[in-house]
Amino acid sequence: MSKVNPTDRKYTREHEWVIDNGDGTVVIGITDHAQELLTDIVFVELPEIGKQVKPMEAVAVVESVKSVSDVYSPVTGEVIEANQKLEQNPELINQDPYGKGWIAKLKMKQPEELQALLDASGYEAFIAAEQH
Amino acid sequence: MNKTPLYSRHVALGARIIDFGGWAMPVQYTSVIEEHLTTRSAAGLFDICHMGEIDVNGTGAFYFLQHVLSRNIDGQKIGQMKLSVLATEEGGIMDDLTVYLLGENHYRLVTNASTKDKDYAWLLKVKDEKGFSQVEITDETDNIGKLDLQGPRSEDILQQVMPANLHSLKYYHFIQTQVLNIPAIVSRSGYTGENGFEIYAPHDRIGEIWDRLLQAGVDYGLKPIGLGARDTLRLESGMMLYGNDMDETTTPYEVVYGWIVNLEKDFIGRDALEKQFSGGVKRKLVGFTMWERGIARHGYKVFKDGLEAGIVTSGTHSPTLEKAIGLAFVPVELSKPGTTFDIQIRNHLAAAQVVSLPFYKKEKQYAFFNIFI
């Protein structure tokens, strides 16, 4: 049922993923597990370029038919790009949460924050525990 | 949490279960959009066992109901159902319900799930206080199971599992019949804007009907449908949801229920409603579509020229129309179709426009669909 969570990135307990580009920037999105829970994503509110964010602050909003959910920033930083394709095609998050469904690119201010996040197997263990 | 007799079937079908007013109900089996579109194009089967059924019997039943219902039920025939409001002394909506005339002096009220206990207590109180001794009121909810079968193929499917002819059954009429070999009531009615049926049968046998319908419906594209799609289907069709769009602080004239109030008879709430009718309402529930990006949701504020002017009561993404739709209370001055206002979505305002209801209307309506029910 679930896709494999890629090992090239880190995960939050709020079901976001973050990929380190190695140049001080990261790309973020929501996990396959999160899109599955939301099911039909019909609207994405993207952040404005230049928006300053901190961990656990909403950086974007995704809406399904039934629900409204915040996407939290995994790190402290500044939004430098947002996936404009999601405005017309929010379903990209359902179809390809780890690829074409990326949400924003951030410039990190405190790269060490990445170390506190989960790796793929840690995230899977976390989901398994959450379901019990 | 309360469970319907179909609960284990929902779990086996992989449904996501939510707490709906104290009931463990399926919100979706696969996807709200998919289930919604299935109901519009083929047929959907809904577990509605949580709704309430209250029987009113006895020689005083007609006079009693005339006293508590906003609708004039004089002239209602056996086999006919009517939509009505149960009003408070102040004219507020205690519930919106359907009234089935099952036999001479035997009525059945089908209530919302969340309001059933309140309605039942209220009816008993009125009976005692007003001296309606020739009336017997019983809560049948635990004895009765209910399914809704809705969508363009619903008649083809249902006809396979029951001998009585459905073709001649008119909109908002019902037959007391057998489905499989189970005694049942089948009405042509529903909450989706599609042709369809509401099916009532003994609580302990409703599962057999559910199973057989799903089986008979395979070739017609029938699927089980959760409450998520039930909500988007009813909203597209311009139907209100009790507790969301109306409650006891709302009167029938403020929502689209003026037509089921009959001021020429005496009933609880009549005087307050007559006063409001002659003085005119100050606010009105209207349908709107979003002009700018965003989905308005229940509780979002309405603004006009920067001032707070109203509140959204229902809002969603319409799967059929593929745009954001909703219902909102606004001052009467802002209620005309074409009027624009803003809705606050998180920290910004997005423009919306008043439109006539329903948002969605079936192109080829069932022949009896347009007549007043």
Side-chain angles (χ1 to χ4, degrees):
Chain A
M1 187 165 78
S2 274
K3 296 180 185 76
V4 175
N5 298 302
T7 53
D8 62 353
R9 62 196 79 193
K10 297 281 190 118
Y11 298 85
T12 71
R13 288 173 173 80
E14 286 73 40
H15 309 290
E16 291 92 15
W17 55 261
V18 48
I19 193 162
D20 185 357
N21 291 328
D23 59 357
T25 68
V26 290
V27 174
I28 65 163
I30 65 167
T31 67
D32 183 56
H33 178 68
Q35 73 76 22
E36 212 174 83
L37 286 178
L38 289 162
T39 332
D40 313 301
I41 294 170
V42 293
F43 183 83
V44 181
E45 188 172 287
L46 295 168
E48 283 176 16
I49 308 304
K51 183 184 166 99
Q52 305 289 324
V53 290
K54 287 184 184 145
M56 290 305 289
E57 271 182 15
V59 63
V61 177
V62 290
E63 300 195 31
S64 69
V65 179
K66 288 291 290 176
S67 66
V68 182
S69 308
D70 285 333
V71 178
Y72 296 109
S73 177
V75 293
T76 305
E78 179 186 333
V79 177
I80 54 172
E81 206 180 328
N83 185 0
Q84 301 297 334
K85 285 197 175 126
L86 297 178
E87 292 207 342
Q88 286 308 310
N89 303 100
E91 69 279 4
L92 285 173
I93 296 180
N94 291 125
Q95 292 161 359
D96 191 8
Y98 293 127
K100 292 193 179 97
W102 67 277
I103 292 172
K105 192 171 173 184
L106 311 178
K107 191 172 173 199
M108 288 188 288
K109 292 224 167 102
Q110 298 173 35
E112 66 278 8
E113 286 168 344
L114 289 176
Q115 291 164 18
L117 302 177
L118 302 166
D119 62 13
S121 60
Y123 177 65
E124 278 153 27
F126 172 73
I127 300 175
E130 208 180 34
Q131 283 166 342
H132 289 100
Chain B
M1 247 192 300
N2 291 314
K3 290 185 173 121
T4 78
L6 306 174
Y7 176 79
S8 59
R9 287 171 170 84
H10 302 318
V11 173
L13 286 163
R16 193 173 300 162
I17 305 290
I18 55 155
D19 177 353
F20 182 77
W23 288 84
M25 299 298 290
V27 64
Q28 65 179 55
Y29 298 87
T30 55
S31 117
V32 173
I33 292 181
E34 201 178 294
E35 290 166 30
H36 179 110
L37 298 175
T38 295
T39 309
R40 290 262 180 263
S41 65
L45 187 61
F46 304 71
D47 175 4
I48 310 297
C49 293
H50 60 307
M51 277 180 70
E53 289 90 10
I54 298 171
D55 278 15
V56 181
N57 269 294
T59 51
F62 168 77
Y63 297 99
F64 175 74
L65 289 175
Q66 283 290 62
H67 186 62
V68 295
L69 299 174
S70 67
R71 186 92 184 256
N72 190 351
I73 56 165
D74 194 9
Q76 183 172 358
K77 293 182 174 58
I78 294 170
Q80 197 181 7
M81 59 189 280
K82 290 196 172 207
L83 181 65
S84 182
V85 163
L86 196 60
T88 65
E89 293 280 2
E90 295 77 31
I93 302 173
M94 186 176 293
D95 201 2
D96 66 329
L97 41 74
T98 49
V99 184
Y100 287 66
L101 180 53
L102 299 178
E104 205 177 331
N105 300 320
H106 185 189
Y107 293 87
R108 176 163 295 160
L109 310 180
V110 180
T111 77
N112 283 290
S114 59
T115 48
K116 188 265 293 172
D117 289 340
K118 177 184 80 169
D119 293 356
Y120 184 54
W122 167 251
L123 294 172
L124 291 177
K125 184 170 174 265
V126 174
K127 169 185 142 72
D128 286 349
E129 288 182 359
K130 305 275 176 81
F132 283 97
S133 54
Q134 304 302 310
V135 177
E136 196 190 342
I137 302 166
T138 52
D139 180 358
E140 299 293 334
T141 307
D142 290 347
N143 304 324
I144 298 171
K146 178 176 188 284
L147 304 176
D148 284 10
L149 178 62
Q150 301 277 302
R153 305 314 299 273
S154 54
E155 186 165 335
D156 298 327
I157 298 163
L158 185 55
Q159 193 64 79
Q160 289 183 53
V161 302
M162 59 183 287
N165 186 286
L166 285 170
H167 189 69
S168 55
L169 181 61
K170 289 191 271 184
Y171 187 56
Y172 258 60
H173 284 70
F174 64 91
I175 44 175
Q176 301 180 68
T177 181
Q178 296 213 319
V179 174
L180 307 177
N181 290 314
I182 302 166
I185 290 172
V186 174
S187 63
R188 192 187 293 275
S189 52
Y191 196 46
T192 61
E194 297 296 326
N195 183 20
F197 303 90
E198 295 180 273
I199 303 161
Y200 305 83
H203 188 267
D204 54 352
R205 304 206 61 186
I206 200 79
E208 295 168 52
I209 299 177
W210 169 273
D211 292 341
R212 186 69 188 87
L213 282 173
L214 281 182
Q215 209 175 31
V218 168
D219 294 341
Y220 297 91
L222 175 70
K223 298 228 171 85
I225 311 296
L227 293 183
R230 184 168 165 85
D231 192 48
T232 52
L233 288 159
R234 68 92 191 165
L235 185 53
E236 278 186 354
S237 309
M239 297 179 193
M240 297 177 291
L241 172 63
Y242 194 87
N244 249 54
D245 305 308
M246 56 181 157
D247 57 28
E248 292 189 8
T249 67
T250 316
T251 74
Y253 291 120
E254 294 171 327
V255 299
V256 290
Y257 276 165
W259 67 278
I260 49 175
V261 175
N262 293 101
L263 292 174
E264 68 274 17
K265 65 153 191 165
D266 193 23
F267 63 93
I268 295 173
R270 181 200 167 277
D271 294 349
L273 286 169
E274 185 184 39
K275 210 170 144 192
Q276 190 178 55
F277 181 74
S278 49
V281 296
K282 296 197 169 49
R283 59 170 190 169
K284 239 182 147 44
L285 192 74
V286 296
F288 66 84
T289 57
M290 296 303 299
W291 258 19
E292 290 181 302
R293 289 190 75 242
I295 302 171
R297 305 279 185 179
H298 177 79
Y300 285 12
K301 290 173 179 166
V302 174
F303 285 82
K304 180 69 178 179
D305 302 327
L307 295 173
E308 195 174 333
I311 193 149
V312 174
T313 59
S314 281
T316 193
H317 166 88
S318 158
T320 312
L321 308 171
E322 296 189 322
K323 59 182 174 191
I325 60 171
L327 299 174
F329 271 116
V330 294
V332 171
E333 315 82 85
L334 299 181
S335 65
K336 232 178 103 188
T339 310
T340 58
F341 49 67
D342 297 320
I343 293 170
Q344 186 183 350
I345 299 179
R346 291 175 284 278
N347 53 7
H348 68 275
L349 294 177
Q353 184 176 39
V354 177
V355 297
S356 311
L357 294 172
F359 300 101
Y360 161 88
K361 201 167 182 188
K362 205 169 163 48
E363 280 166 36
K364 226 178 108 190
Q365 292 273 12
Y366 177 75
F368 298 96
F369 231 73
N370 285 315
I371 61 164
F372 248 28
I373 43 182

